Short mmCIF file of all heavy atoms in Angstrom, two decimals:
data_model
loop_
_atom_site.label_atom_id
_atom_site.label_comp_id
_atom_site.label_asym_id
_atom_site.label_seq_id
_atom_site.Cartn_x
_atom_site.Cartn_y
_atom_site.Cartn_z
N HIS A 26 -115.67 129.73 90.26
CA HIS A 26 -114.37 130.40 90.24
C HIS A 26 -113.44 129.76 89.21
O HIS A 26 -112.72 130.46 88.49
CB HIS A 26 -113.72 130.37 91.63
CG HIS A 26 -114.16 131.49 92.50
ND1 HIS A 26 -115.38 131.50 93.13
CD2 HIS A 26 -113.56 132.67 92.83
CE1 HIS A 26 -115.50 132.63 93.82
NE2 HIS A 26 -114.42 133.35 93.65
N GLY A 40 -108.30 120.97 82.55
CA GLY A 40 -109.61 120.78 81.93
C GLY A 40 -110.50 119.86 82.75
O GLY A 40 -110.03 119.05 83.55
N ALA A 131 -113.35 127.21 103.46
CA ALA A 131 -112.15 126.46 103.08
C ALA A 131 -112.06 125.17 103.90
O ALA A 131 -112.14 125.19 105.12
CB ALA A 131 -110.90 127.32 103.32
N THR A 314 -111.16 136.06 102.98
CA THR A 314 -112.30 136.66 103.69
C THR A 314 -111.91 137.29 105.02
O THR A 314 -112.73 137.95 105.64
CB THR A 314 -113.38 135.59 103.95
OG1 THR A 314 -112.80 134.52 104.72
CG2 THR A 314 -113.92 135.04 102.65
N PRO A 420 -111.81 169.98 113.69
CA PRO A 420 -111.35 170.77 114.82
C PRO A 420 -109.88 170.53 115.08
O PRO A 420 -109.33 169.49 114.74
CB PRO A 420 -112.21 170.25 115.98
CG PRO A 420 -112.60 168.87 115.56
CD PRO A 420 -112.72 168.90 114.08
N ASP A 511 -108.99 160.64 139.92
CA ASP A 511 -110.10 159.69 139.88
C ASP A 511 -111.05 159.91 141.06
O ASP A 511 -112.27 159.86 140.90
CB ASP A 511 -109.58 158.26 139.89
CG ASP A 511 -108.84 157.90 138.61
OD1 ASP A 511 -108.74 158.78 137.73
OD2 ASP A 511 -108.36 156.77 138.51
N VAL A 583 -127.43 150.41 123.48
CA VAL A 583 -126.08 149.95 123.19
C VAL A 583 -125.77 150.23 121.72
O VAL A 583 -126.61 150.00 120.85
CB VAL A 583 -125.93 148.45 123.49
CG1 VAL A 583 -124.58 147.93 123.03
CG2 VAL A 583 -126.12 148.19 124.98
N ASN A 607 -131.25 145.58 140.28
CA ASN A 607 -131.24 146.67 141.24
C ASN A 607 -132.22 146.42 142.38
O ASN A 607 -131.93 146.74 143.55
CB ASN A 607 -131.59 148.00 140.55
CG ASN A 607 -130.48 148.49 139.65
OD1 ASN A 607 -129.36 147.99 139.70
ND2 ASN A 607 -130.78 149.47 138.82
N ILE A 610 -130.38 143.69 144.56
CA ILE A 610 -129.07 143.97 145.16
C ILE A 610 -129.12 145.14 146.15
O ILE A 610 -128.43 145.13 147.16
CB ILE A 610 -128.03 144.25 144.05
CG1 ILE A 610 -127.80 142.99 143.22
CG2 ILE A 610 -126.72 144.73 144.64
CD1 ILE A 610 -126.94 143.21 141.98
N PHE A 707 -128.65 157.70 103.60
CA PHE A 707 -129.60 158.80 103.70
C PHE A 707 -129.99 159.29 102.30
O PHE A 707 -131.17 159.47 102.00
CB PHE A 707 -128.99 159.93 104.52
CG PHE A 707 -129.88 161.14 104.66
CD1 PHE A 707 -130.86 161.18 105.64
CD2 PHE A 707 -129.74 162.23 103.81
CE1 PHE A 707 -131.70 162.30 105.76
CE2 PHE A 707 -130.56 163.34 103.93
CZ PHE A 707 -131.54 163.38 104.91
N GLU A 817 -112.29 145.70 126.45
CA GLU A 817 -111.29 145.52 125.40
C GLU A 817 -110.96 146.83 124.70
O GLU A 817 -109.89 146.97 124.13
CB GLU A 817 -111.80 144.51 124.37
CG GLU A 817 -111.95 143.12 124.92
CD GLU A 817 -112.43 142.11 123.91
OE1 GLU A 817 -112.85 142.50 122.80
OE2 GLU A 817 -112.40 140.90 124.21
N TYR A 832 -118.31 156.67 139.71
CA TYR A 832 -118.85 155.72 140.69
C TYR A 832 -117.77 155.11 141.58
O TYR A 832 -118.07 154.29 142.45
CB TYR A 832 -119.59 154.59 139.98
CG TYR A 832 -120.89 155.00 139.31
CD1 TYR A 832 -121.47 154.18 138.35
CD2 TYR A 832 -121.55 156.18 139.64
CE1 TYR A 832 -122.67 154.52 137.73
CE2 TYR A 832 -122.74 156.54 139.03
CZ TYR A 832 -123.29 155.71 138.08
OH TYR A 832 -124.47 156.05 137.47
N LEU A 846 -109.88 135.87 126.92
CA LEU A 846 -108.85 135.41 127.84
C LEU A 846 -109.36 135.25 129.27
O LEU A 846 -108.77 134.54 130.08
CB LEU A 846 -107.67 136.39 127.83
CG LEU A 846 -106.94 136.53 126.48
CD1 LEU A 846 -105.90 137.63 126.54
CD2 LEU A 846 -106.29 135.20 126.10
#
Side-chain angles (χ1 to χ4, degrees):
H26 274 78
T314 58
D511 292 0
V583 173
N607 289 348
I610 294 172
F707 179 83
E817 294 181 349
Y832 290 163
L846 297 174

